Amino acid sequence: MLCAGGAVVDLKIRFTAPSVVGTSNPGTGVTSLGGVARNVAENLAVLGVPVSLLSAVGDDAPGAVLLDLSRERGIGTEHVAVLAGRTTAQYVALLEPGGDLTIGAAAMDVLDGITVGHLRSAWPSTKDAWVFCDGNLSSAVIAEALGGDLPVVFDAVSTHKVIRLPRDLTGLTLLSCNRDEARAWLAHHGFPADDDDPGLARRLLEAGAQSVLLTRGADGVVVAGDGVMAQLPAVPATPIDVTGAGDAMVAGTLAALVEGLDLVGAAHRGAERAARTVESEFSVLPHP
């Protein structure tokens, strides 16, 4: 499995009382590894799927730590470019006492250094391999992946980055996005975007995606594909920290698909892993 996209150093600050805008708020902080592609890769490694990461970091101390710890957690890093004079990507998340995200800030310019050439060099040679891409990749790199000869899974990341997907989604095996990201992509490419959730998923299928995971938070997930349109309820959970839930969802689903489960069964697996992740203090649950 190749996971291509973001590798980030995260700083999560949890307020000790409900936040107040415009002033300093007391809180506690923890630094950890993040990035959608890197988190998905670590989840896959925990779940027993051999995985390598394609990303870019700076030639700085955070980049060296990110590479060392990723290797310790079972992720191949031979395809991570170390770019001279650049700063490793960073993400700061401000969380309410209950774990909900108040605001996040991302400084990820170094990821623009991931090129089509990097993807071609890292492209798996085995025909049973899968490729995961996230929205931190450029439009050119994403288009290159969709034109390849392997199943491609794409995670939207955000409403700003999902529009990097082309108008024609042919070549995309599975698209994972939420309602807002789906609407942003549809509106950007001139499609109607005022449907209900199954309608949004259906429009993504009509645009060429083979299957869709439309995540809806507490409302669960819409799973759509060839002959499939299912609305799965959310798995009950008592959240401690919601960071990494979406990465756990797509990684759990992807690991199950590689194992041979059908789309709905795989999505059940992904939803269960996401629920257990939000109940932990970890962005990536360290056990299957």
Side-chain angles (χ1 to χ4, degrees), residues 52-76:
S52 293
L53 178 66
L54 167 61
S55 191
V57 299
D59 58 344
D60 51 15
V65 169
L66 190 152
L67 290 174
D68 287 343
L69 292 181
S70 294
R71 283 190 288 265
E72 287 180 12
R73 296 172 189 180
I75 302 170

Side-chain angles (χ1 to χ4, degrees), residues 2-6 37 52-56 76 79-80 114-115 118-119 122 137 141:
L2 177 69
C3 289
S52 293
L53 178 66
L54 167 61
S55 191
H79 301 303
V80 178
I114 305 171
T115 66
H118 290 140
L119 181 66
L137 300 170
V141 174

